[in-house]
Amino acid sequence: MRLISWNVNGLRAICDKDGFSFLEKYPTDFLGIQEIKATPDKFPKDINNLGFKDIKSNSAKRAGYSGVMSFLNFECDSRFAQFFPDDEGRVLEHSFKDIVLFNIYFPNGQSGDERLDYKMKFYDDFLEYLKKLLLEGKKIIICGDVNTAHRPIDLTHPKANEKTSGFLPIEREWIDRLLDAGFVDTFRYINGDIPEKYSWWSYRAAARNRNVGWRIDYFFISNNLTPYLKDAFILSDVMGSDHCPVGIDIEI
């Protein structure tokens, strides 16, 4: 089974750019996208022609903001966030067999202390929910834009961003706690400390052309799924957004 995650930075914009054409080269069983910035009445009809059996979405109440969507080729039960008020359309939770798969657009904390507090509350509540699911014997997959680079290797200028949300000690420490709770960062698990691998680049100063970026998009899996993980990758050649897709191949 192949699973791919991508912050598209606008569903309508990515469709206008024929951004999903990469699926011809990288066929997938699950595509989770974030920051769709659209409500169902504004969804492009093109999304129904991508060859998936089902599409689930969770749009923000605020127009043109946030939102997540999942394209699936398997049957599952889907619902919105169970651990946090979800009027920003940040979570889709899919359950099948003994597996729980999350497609999440985690909050950004750069606009001020209030949003940073919101982000950390979201982080903490989500981790407590994950611990509950692990106690129930669930196998867990988490994908999405986490909006935090974990280690200095995960961004081009770590020293210059030590006081920037997205690389603050409290944000990075949450990923430490996630891993300590029984999860792995699939890209590092498969690829080790390979440098200069990023998933987001600013639109400014030709950052993508110079590969001045951050790795803030992830697939995390619970430790009980690591024997089945076959590959983890970043599709940096896929254009259309300031992010690129990331994915895993896993036997399920």
Side-chain angles (χ1 to χ4, degrees), residues 8-241:
V8 296
N9 195 13
L11 177 62
R12 288 168 289 177
I14 212 72
C15 286
D16 288 344
K17 300 170 187 175
D18 196 24
F20 292 119
S21 60
F22 81 97
L23 294 170
E24 297 174 9
K25 184 178 179 181
Y26 301 102
T28 183
D29 301 286
F30 172 86
L31 172 64
I33 63 173
Q34 303 89 43
E35 207 170 357
I36 61 173
K37 299 181 179 179
T39 50
D41 59 309
K42 302 292 185 182
F43 291 167
K45 294 181 180 179
D46 294 352
I47 65 173
N48 298 310
N49 302 323
L50 296 178
F52 290 91
K53 295 178 180 177
D54 199 5
I55 303 173
K56 302 293 186 182
S57 64
N58 183 9
S59 298
K61 290 183 178 178
R62 174 179 159 190
Y65 180 74
S66 190
V68 291
M69 178 178 287
S70 297
F71 300 85
L72 308 111
N73 272 334
F74 52 89
E75 293 184 2
C76 63
D77 294 322
S78 302
R79 58 184 183 174
F80 298 165
Q82 302 300 299
F83 60 91
F84 200 83
D86 202 18
D87 57 355
E88 295 190 358
R90 295 193 172 275
V91 182
L92 281 170
E93 177 182 335
H94 310 289
S95 300
F96 57 103
K97 300 183 179 180
D98 58 349
I99 295 171
V100 182
L101 166 62
F102 292 95
N103 173 16
I104 304 185
Y105 178 40
F106 291 79
N108 187 312
Q110 291 189 353
S111 61
D113 290 343
E114 182 178 345
R115 287 305 290 181
L116 180 59
D117 290 344
Y118 179 90
K119 177 181 183 178
M120 297 311 302
K121 180 72 162 56
F122 186 101
Y123 273 0
D124 291 341
D125 289 359
F126 182 47
L127 184 54
E128 290 306 307
Y129 185 59
L130 292 174
K131 290 177 179 178
K132 176 177 175 288
L133 292 176
L134 287 175
L135 288 174
E136 295 172 1
K138 300 295 185 182
K139 299 180 176 72
I140 301 171
I141 303 171
I142 306 159
C143 75
D145 177 359
V146 179
N147 262 315
T148 295
H150 183 207
R151 296 164 54 205
I153 196 175
D154 294 318
L155 70 166
T156 306
H157 298 302
K159 192 68 178 176
N161 286 286
E162 287 179 342
K163 296 182 179 180
T164 301
S165 179
F167 197 60
L168 294 174
I170 56 171
E171 296 167 315
R172 298 166 58 198
E173 186 263 341
W174 180 82
I175 298 181
D176 290 335
R177 289 193 285 126
L178 176 68
L179 302 184
D180 289 344
F183 290 84
V184 299
D185 173 350
T186 58
F187 184 79
R188 291 296 173 210
Y189 186 85
I190 292 292
N191 299 286
D193 287 342
I194 182 172
E196 299 180 357
K197 294 296 183 181
Y198 310 124
S199 65
W200 176 81
W201 303 262
S202 171
Y203 281 131
R204 301 174 183 173
R208 189 160 187 171
N209 289 339
R210 298 184 296 119
N211 197 29
V212 177
W214 298 50
R215 190 174 72 93
I216 58 176
D217 301 88
Y218 297 82
F219 268 90
F220 295 106
I221 61 172
S222 51
N223 289 338
N224 52 13
L225 278 174
T226 56
Y228 310 102
L229 181 65
K230 301 304 176 186
D231 196 13
F233 49 86
I234 297 175
L235 302 179
S236 55
D237 59 328
V238 176
M239 309 300 287
S241 171

